Amino acid sequence: MTVLLFGPPGAGKSTQADLLSRKYNFVKFSMGDILREEVAAKTPLGKKIEKHIDGGVLVPDDLVFKLVLKFLDEHKDEDLLFEGFPRTIRQALSLDECLSQLGSSVSLALEIHLDEEDIFKRLTNRGYCPTCGAIYNFTTNPPKKDQLCDNCNQHLVTRSDDSEEIIRKRLKVYADETQKIAQHYDTPQVYRRINARGSQQEIFEKISNIIDAYCSKE
Ligand code: ADP
């Protein structure tokens, strides 16, 4: 099966993608993480990507597609979870086309929804570990030791695109481009919207219930 997870910045896509991949053995494709790895490696591709991420705008499709095609080629026979891709109708159409060539299609398109006030609260309090990628919220889910990762004792950092100005830009890009994905996949079997207010565990259970129901029908 192929599951898509999308939602505004700060809705918790990445956390849920990790939990779901572990539970259901999905091979995870996390576009934001893959792009940031490329930037951290300071490759020529990474340098091109960096200015888009830091500006809060989308990375051009040709760069993004290359990474998706490589992933699909390596994992086409497995259960897949895409997080942060597709983010535009054009990306959705390309993904549909690639999957159809593999005799497959999107099984579930899950939108994790959160309103703007909550998004700002979450993102302006967010820190992550540059070594293991663990995400913390300094108010609701702080590390045990001040500013240090619980897993590897590394100093937590703030994402370069988590400033108020860039968060606003990312939200606008989401409203203008990504929200249309919901209409694109809008059949009761495929598209489901999940309210992301609540604990990580509550949201995880809601999404798990949707996936379990889908699997029991298959
Ligand atoms: P968030 O959803 O919180 O904004 P992500 O880590 O998913 O965080 O994405 C961070 C940035 O990476 C985006 O603002 C954008 O610049 C880039 N990006 C992620 N996914 C895509 C995509 N599918 N297409 C183009 N750019 C992307």
Side-chain angles (χ1 to χ4, degrees), residues 7-10 13 31-33 35-36 52-53 56-59 64 83-87 91 126 159 161 170:
K13 302 181 290 289
M31 183 55 97
D33 288 351
L35 294 171
R36 275 186 294 276
H52 295 97
I53 294 190
V57 296
L58 294 180
V59 174
V64 162
E83 182 256 309
F85 182 87
R87 255 176 146 105
Q91 292 183 3
R126 176 161 83 170
R159 262 173 53 172
D161 56 350
R170 286 156 63 205

Side-chain angles (χ1 to χ4, degrees), residues 60-195:
D61 282 344
D62 56 333
L63 304 184
V64 162
F65 287 152
K66 264 191 213 152
L67 300 166
V68 176
L69 288 177
K70 182 166 173 276
F71 173 80
L72 275 176
D73 194 45
E74 288 165 359
H75 300 288
K76 49 180 170 275
D77 299 323
E78 295 167 87
D79 287 326
L80 308 177
L81 175 69
F82 284 90
E83 182 256 309
F85 182 87
R87 255 176 146 105
T88 62
I89 291 291
R90 195 162 163 237
Q91 292 183 3
L93 289 169
S94 304
L95 178 67
D96 293 348
E97 172 72 31
C98 291
L99 290 175
S100 136
Q101 282 172 14
L102 298 169
S104 168
S105 62
V106 170
S107 319
L108 290 170
L110 308 176
E111 178 181 5
I112 313 189
H113 175 76
L114 194 66
D115 58 42
E116 271 198 26
E117 200 184 317
D118 289 323
I119 289 171
F120 267 93
K121 264 193 225 146
R122 282 196 194 176
L123 292 184
T124 48
N125 276 299
R126 176 161 83 170
Y128 80 99
C129 171
T131 304
C132 72
I135 300 169
Y136 296 86
N137 181 299
F138 294 115
T139 315
T140 58
N141 173 33
K144 293 194 183 85
K145 283 192 245 158
D146 191 30
Q147 301 286 338
L148 295 179
C149 176
D150 293 348
N151 306 326
C152 33
N153 229 28
Q154 264 282 351
H155 237 276
L156 300 179
V157 292
T158 304
R159 262 173 53 172
S160 56
D161 56 350
D162 274 349
S163 68
E164 212 169 305
E165 184 200 346
I166 301 299
I167 294 170
R168 283 196 198 287
K169 265 205 192 161
R170 286 156 63 205
L171 283 171
K172 180 160 177 9
V173 171
Y174 185 77
D176 292 349
E177 303 281 347
T178 311
Q179 226 152 23
K180 294 177 192 151
I181 304 280
Q183 284 109 52
H184 179 72
Y185 289 110
D186 191 12
T187 67
Q189 293 82 6
V190 177
Y191 170 68
R192 303 294 294 271
R193 189 185 218 227
I194 298 115
N195 188 331

